[in-house]
Amino acid sequence: MLRFRLLVQWGMLFWCSLLGIQLGLFVRHFESGGTTAYYSRFPGVEAFLPIGALVSLKNWLINGQVDAVHPAALVLFLTFVAMAGLTRKSFCSWLCPVGTVEELMWKLGQKIFGRLWHPWSWLDRLLQSLKYLLLIFFVKLILIDMPAVAIKGFLAAPYWAMSDIKMLHFFTGLAGIPLLTIVVLLILSLFIRNPWCRYLCPYGALLGVLSFFSPSRIRRDSQVCIDCGTCSKACPSRLPVAMKSQIISPECTGCLTCVENCPQPGALAMAVLSKPLPKWLFPLSVLSIFSIGVITGMLSGHWQTSLTYTDYQRLIPLIPLLTH
Ligand code: SF4
Ligand code: SF4
């Protein structure tokens, strides 16, 4: 099952890279004045607009309308929220490309140095609170404080229309402090497991909070368990699996590493309402929820942007001028 998860993760990373390349070729066509070949833009890139998706969510909640400029941003956001509500923070360990890269780095670090480092538990807890503070900041700023008129203004502005391309430019033109931050996080990931996910990612924090409602959780049968402690040692989120009868922590990503490493058949399983699931059912559920979300968006007409070729022709040259 761990191999299958790796396959899904790397498949997703590969797919995200293709989305980025395709968007780059799409933009190049307009920047060259139409002299280079035209490639269509895949709406999946809108998964990288979580803050805009939060604004779009508020618009949907107060006006009942799905933003037509980047509808896939909201569809994907709601899909990941549904995943968290049903299959814990599985987005983080199965789909998120950032999680995949971090996992690669700490596994590499473990191979090179023969071990990983863990911050003292007081420091670990303090650092973990950062991602919740960031989450509170965005929820307050957008869901609570942003007035309806500002929401409408944001979603109608050229800045939002070009936000996916601005995001692409951010990554292709990385320099200065953002580049330094990414390099530092990558180097840190060689020594510490998932520093971005564990300490800083507000998206992961949101999904973790929502995972409290998930009916699925890791359960340990203390009658069968031989108390070897292997599950706790294997857990990438450093959860004390061997000490608990069930794991309800927001840090559990449903990666199933603990289950795969347990040497005692029947001692540990992902369970729904106390019923252990067959090993294949949890991964199938994760992928099914994701697929259903995307297909629903496509079939309901909330996937493709309303922006036309002429809109892109007009707006792409203006991008350097768009600050908000
Ligand atoms: S408790 Fe198990 S499923 Fe949850 S994060 Fe740890 S290893 Fe993964
Ligand atoms: S790895 Fe399995 S047998 Fe060992 S402590 Fe964990 S649940 Fe019990």
Side-chain angles (χ1 to χ4, degrees):
M1 200 48 71
L2 290 183
R3 283 218 180 110
F4 179 65
R5 187 174 66 83
L6 281 180
L7 194 72
V8 174
Q9 280 184 305
W10 283 92
M12 214 54 190
L13 182 64
F14 180 67
W15 179 242
C16 289
S17 310
L18 280 185
L19 291 180
I21 292 168
Q22 183 94 0
L23 181 64
L25 293 171
F26 171 82
V27 175
R28 194 182 61 158
H29 170 79
F30 291 98
E31 286 176 344
S32 70
T35 56
T36 57
Y38 176 78
Y39 290 83
S40 55
R41 163 197 170 280
F42 289 135
V45 293
E46 293 170 24
F48 292 89
L49 305 175
I51 296 171
L54 208 56
V55 179
S56 187
L57 172 69
K58 181 157 180 184
N59 177 58
W60 183 53
L61 292 174
I62 57 178
N63 296 320
Q65 287 167 352
V66 175
D67 162 60
V69 172
H70 290 311
L74 180 61
V75 167
L76 289 163
F77 181 82
L78 291 176
T79 302
F80 301 145
V81 162
M83 282 174 73
L86 293 167
T87 55
R88 310 208 64 78
K89 226 166 57 163
S90 53
F91 168 76
C92 302
S93 66
W94 287 82
L95 302 182
C96 179
V98 181
T100 306
V101 172
E102 281 208 321
E103 193 173 325
L104 171 77
M105 294 304 285
W106 67 253
K107 283 181 177 168
L108 197 67
Q110 206 167 25
K111 272 217 160 66
I112 297 171
F113 306 111
R115 58 164 293 195
L116 290 168
W117 282 262
H118 309 305
W120 301 291
S121 51
W122 65 267
L123 182 61
D124 186 52
R125 271 198 293 276
L126 193 71
L127 291 172
Q128 278 190 59
S129 65
L130 291 176
K131 64 176 186 261
Y132 294 107
L133 290 177
L134 284 170
L135 174 64
I136 291 168
F137 171 76
F138 285 119
V139 167
K140 180 162 172 5
L141 185 75
I142 297 169
L143 287 188
I144 299 172
D145 291 347
M146 202 167 177
V149 62
I151 298 268
K152 266 202 175 321
F154 176 87
L155 296 176
Y159 185 92
W160 171 235
M162 294 295 104
S163 55
D164 51 343
I165 300 172
K166 282 187 81 70
M167 180 66 81
L168 177 79
H169 285 163
F170 171 79
F171 283 110
T172 51
L174 265 179
I177 290 177
L179 177 64
L180 186 69
T181 308
I182 291 176
V183 171
V184 167
L185 280 169
L186 282 173
I187 294 172
L188 260 183
S189 307
L190 285 169
F191 303 98
I192 300 171
R193 276 185 186 139
N194 308 327
W196 166 259
C197 309
R198 192 171 175 86
Y199 301 130
L200 294 170
C201 179
Y203 210 158
L206 171 70
L207 300 180
V209 170
L210 295 171
S211 74
F212 274 120
F213 302 101
S214 169
S216 55
R217 58 194 54 170
I218 293 290
R219 277 190 185 270
R220 188 178 65 92
D221 185 339
S222 55
Q223 304 295 315
V224 184
C225 172
I226 53 170
D227 295 317
C228 66
T230 309
C231 47
S232 300
K233 280 190 207 121
C235 176
S237 301
R238 295 170 49 208
L239 295 169
V241 189
M243 317 283 285
K244 307 274 181 185
S245 57
Q246 58 174 334
I247 296 293
I248 50 172
S249 164
E251 295 302 319
C252 176
T253 62
C255 66
L256 302 181
T257 309
C258 54
V259 178
E260 283 298 306
N261 280 278
C262 174
Q264 182 72 346
L268 200 62
M270 182 60 84
V272 168
L273 306 172
S274 305
K275 264 194 162 286
L277 299 175
K279 275 189 179 174
W280 52 268
L281 192 52
F282 185 76
L284 182 69
S285 310
V286 171
L287 297 181
S288 300
I289 298 165
F290 177 60
S291 309
I292 290 169
V294 172
I295 292 168
T296 306
M298 286 175 172
L299 295 181
S300 62
H302 300 308
W303 190 248
Q304 295 289 346
T305 177
S306 59
L307 295 175
T308 62
Y309 186 94
T310 319
D311 289 329
Y312 281 109
Q313 249 179 341
R314 182 174 55 86
L315 291 172
I316 287 179
L318 297 180
I319 287 178
L321 308 174
L322 303 176
T323 49
H324 56 274

